[in-house]
């Protein structure tokens, strides 16, 4: 009998809760209006932000004309290479280089920390209020790096070879300018790395080629000395001929190795001037025509739902507090 009465009790409880919410509808309406008013105030005072996007295409075969190997690359290797480029784009070293270039542009640097209601501004104000005598954290470069990391994002577009660089700043022009500067800094970094690798490789090959040239010259001198000594002594024994053939073979081997290393050295030396980066900018960023934040409809919808939920919780809570023990 008690089990049969349980659904009826649950239904009565739901009906009672509905009646309480209906009776407390003015309270719910007031809470909802307050939340909507808070949302409208946030929309009015919030910092306007604009998003600009630049696209980079990563081509792992961009410099095959400079490589001796023509074997096709595996898709997994190419995909891992794209993911690696994304990590390089997000590295602090590259962001610091971008910060150095941004520091030279005063208007762009000022636009990174504009006036307005933002989390960074609230954080600074709270620190100043809680610790009035404490100086600001970090040096100017660290501050710029932190702002760049907050206002930029890098992601791969699906499984393609495209990488998206997006920026979020207070003005449309600076958003596009910052995205293009980020992409250009990445391309310049790639070129600098390739040129440095080519220089180190060419120096190592040159040192090895010089060593092989000395070895080949020493082997050739030994051959000439053996021939000269044999002609003076009129030596024509089998052991002398074998030794002479061995020295001549060694001299030829050293000369062949020297020629190959010299050809490779010339190739890598030319790569310093013909370096092609793995990535290219396929779409530069342009100033957006509309703001990305605040989104009025999204904020007001969230405020409305929060107001309804909070008002309902308050109505049910008041009912329970007034219920006699």
């Amino acid at each position: 009998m008690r089990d049969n009465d349980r659904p009826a009790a649950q239904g009565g409880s739901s009906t009672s809760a509905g009646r309480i919410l209906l009776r407390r509808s003015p309270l719910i309406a007031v809470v909802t209006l307050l939340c909507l008013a808070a949302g409208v105030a946030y929309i009015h005072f919030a910092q306007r932000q604009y998003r600009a996007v630049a696209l980079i295409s990563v081509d792992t075969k961009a410099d095959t004309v400079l490589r001796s190997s023509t074997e096709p690359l595996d898709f997994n290797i190419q995909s891992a290479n794209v993911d690696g480029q994304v990590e390089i784009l997000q590295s602090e070293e590259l962001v610091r280089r971008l910060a150095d270039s941004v520091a030279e542009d005063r208007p762009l640097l000022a636009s990174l920390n504009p006036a307005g209601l933002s989390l960074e501004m609230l954080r600074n104000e709270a620190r100043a209020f809680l610790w009035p005598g404490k100086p600001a954290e970090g040096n100017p470069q660290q501050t710029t790096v932190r702002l760049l990391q907050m206002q930029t994002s890098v992601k791969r577009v699906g499984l393609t070879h495209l990488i998206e660089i997006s920026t979020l700043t207070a003005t449309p022009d600076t958003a596009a300018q910052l995205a293009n500067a980020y992409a250009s800094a990445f391309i310049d970094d790639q070129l600098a790395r390739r040129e440095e690798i080519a220089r180190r490789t060419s120096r190592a090959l040159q040192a090895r080629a010089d060593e092989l040239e000395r070895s080949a010259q020493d082997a050739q001198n030994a051959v000439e000395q053996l021939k000269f000594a044999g002609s003076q002594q009129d030596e024509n024994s089998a052991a002398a001929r074998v030794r002479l053939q061995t020295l001549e073979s060694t001299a030829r081997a050293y000369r062949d190795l020297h020629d190959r290393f010299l050809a490779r050295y010339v190739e890598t030396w030319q790569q310093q001037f013909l370096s092609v980066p793995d990535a290219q900018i396929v779409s530069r960023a342009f100033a957006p025509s509309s703001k990305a934040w605040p989104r009025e409809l999204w904020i007001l919808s969230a405020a409305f739902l929060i107001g309804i939920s909070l008002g309902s919780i308050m109505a049910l809570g008041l009912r329970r507090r007034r219920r006699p023990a």
Side-chain angles (χ1 to χ4, degrees), residues 85-160:
Q85 300 299 335
V86 172
E87 294 299 324
I88 293 175
L89 273 164
Q90 294 175 334
S91 65
E92 185 173 352
E93 180 180 358
L94 186 61
V95 177
R96 285 183 176 273
R97 292 187 180 183
L98 177 61
D100 293 337
S101 64
V102 168
E104 299 175 358
D105 191 337
R106 295 289 182 179
L108 181 59
L109 181 61
S111 67
L112 294 180
N113 195 13
L117 183 61
S118 63
L119 292 178
E120 184 69 14
M121 184 271 291
L122 294 176
R123 181 171 174 267
N124 294 334
E125 292 295 334
R127 186 189 301 116
F129 177 77
L130 294 175
W131 300 284
K134 185 178 180 180
E137 296 180 355
N139 54 39
Q141 186 190 35
Q142 291 177 343
T143 302
T144 304
V145 168
R146 186 176 69 251
L147 290 173
L148 288 173
Q149 290 174 338
M150 291 173 56
Q151 299 182 16
T152 59
S153 63
V154 178
K155 68 176 182 179
R156 183 179 180 182
V157 181
L159 295 178
T160 66

Side-chain angles (χ1 to χ4, degrees), residues 144-200:
T144 304
V145 168
R146 186 176 69 251
L147 290 173
L148 288 173
Q149 290 174 338
M150 291 173 56
Q151 299 182 16
T152 59
S153 63
V154 178
K155 68 176 182 179
R156 183 179 180 182
V157 181
L159 295 178
T160 66
H161 288 184
L162 295 177
I163 299 177
E164 177 186 285
I165 300 176
S166 62
T167 57
L168 200 63
T169 63
T171 61
D173 294 333
T174 54
Q177 185 179 357
L178 183 58
N180 291 328
Y182 203 153
S184 298
F186 174 64
I187 298 299
D188 294 341
D189 178 73
Q190 275 210 334
L191 287 174
R193 290 177 185 274
R194 281 192 172 277
E195 291 172 0
E196 180 60 27
I197 291 174
R199 280 193 293 269
R200 289 201 303 266

